Amino acid sequence: MIQSLNFHLADSLPRAVVERWQNELALTSQPEAKRAIELRRRIEEFLDAGHGECWLRRPEIARLVEDALLRFDLERYRMLAWCVMPNHVHNLIETKVGFPLADILHSWKSYTGSQANKLLDRRGEFWQREYLDRYVRDAEHYQAVVAYIEENPVKAGLARVKTDWPRSSARFRAALGAPASLPAS
């Protein structure tokens, strides 16, 4: 099962901001599905603006997170695309039988949060508990998700081209000349 994920630092998206948007959107006459899309758009825009401490901007913290994402690649899951942004992470993963997504995510966040707090000499929540996940429906959706993930630093104004961003699958895909097509199962 292939899913796209987005998770972010604890201070990058205050709950009050999300609740305010939810309340605003509830007052509109838009159908619920359109309100959900608009909420997701606002969240993405807010995260891309770089709110919070942006601990993942520090190379040693971003490397720690990227290494954790890739640690059990091909063993517990297949990491199909990823991008470590200053305050959030995008990835596209195919889980393997016996390794539920929630367990994988817990492992990444628990380990990296603990290690990052040590490196930063801080305490407290590093990651926000919630995360966004979506199933990939077909090959067209897959290509769109890979493009979205790998173009995220460009969209956020952090890189000129996607291969310039240091913590992303775009560098590897370009180096290998690999297409963004749906992998064979």
Side-chain angles (χ1 to χ4, degrees):
M1 178 172 328
I2 298 175
Q3 293 175 273
S4 66
L5 301 170
N6 179 306
F7 55 101
H8 45 94
L9 297 178
D11 70 345
S12 63
L13 184 62
R15 167 74 28 224
V17 170
V18 175
E19 288 172 357
R20 184 180 77 236
W21 291 336
Q22 288 171 326
N23 291 336
E24 287 172 8
L25 292 168
L27 298 174
T28 70
S29 60
Q30 291 181 330
E32 187 174 336
K34 288 198 183 268
R35 290 194 310 259
I37 290 168
E38 174 60 17
L39 179 62
R40 211 168 35 249
R41 186 198 64 74
R42 289 181 186 190
I43 288 170
E44 290 169 6
E45 187 176 283
F46 192 87
L47 290 171
D48 286 346
H51 293 277
E53 292 290 336
C54 293
W55 295 118
L56 304 176
R57 191 180 307 273
R58 294 180 56 160
E60 69 276 20
I61 306 298
R63 188 177 320 103
L64 167 75
V65 172
E66 183 179 49
D67 289 349
L69 295 176
L70 298 174
R71 172 66 179 91
F72 292 107
D73 184 29
L74 302 179
E75 188 177 323
R76 298 180 184 175
Y77 47 81
R78 283 199 309 176
M79 185 61 59
L80 303 168
W82 70 92
C83 184
V84 179
M85 296 289 285
N87 64 0
H88 65 286
V89 175
H90 294 277
N91 60 19
L92 182 62
I93 184 175
E94 181 177 29
T95 56
K96 294 196 174 216
V97 174
F99 298 99
L101 181 62
D103 292 353
I104 293 167
L105 205 51
H106 174 76
S107 174
W108 289 338
K109 290 166 78 174
S110 175
Y111 174 76
T112 59
S114 171
Q115 295 302 306
N117 275 343
K118 286 179 189 175
L119 289 169
L120 297 166
D121 193 29
R122 69 178 292 276
R123 291 176 170 242
E125 292 292 319
F126 188 75
W127 296 107
Q128 191 163 85
R129 292 176 197 243
E130 295 85 16
Y131 61 93
L132 176 66
D133 65 315
R134 291 188 64 195
Y135 291 108
V136 173
R137 298 180 305 270
D138 53 33
E140 186 178 323
H141 186 206
Y142 177 88
Q143 289 175 338
V145 171
V146 170
Y148 174 80
I149 289 170
E150 293 182 352
E151 289 287 342
N152 203 246
V154 175
K155 183 180 92 156
L158 300 171
R160 189 177 52 78
V161 294
K162 64 184 178 181
T163 53
D164 286 348
W165 192 248
R167 300 288 168 217
S168 167
S169 55
R171 294 179 302 118
F172 293 98
R173 197 176 313 284
L176 296 172
S181 58
L182 190 64
S185 291

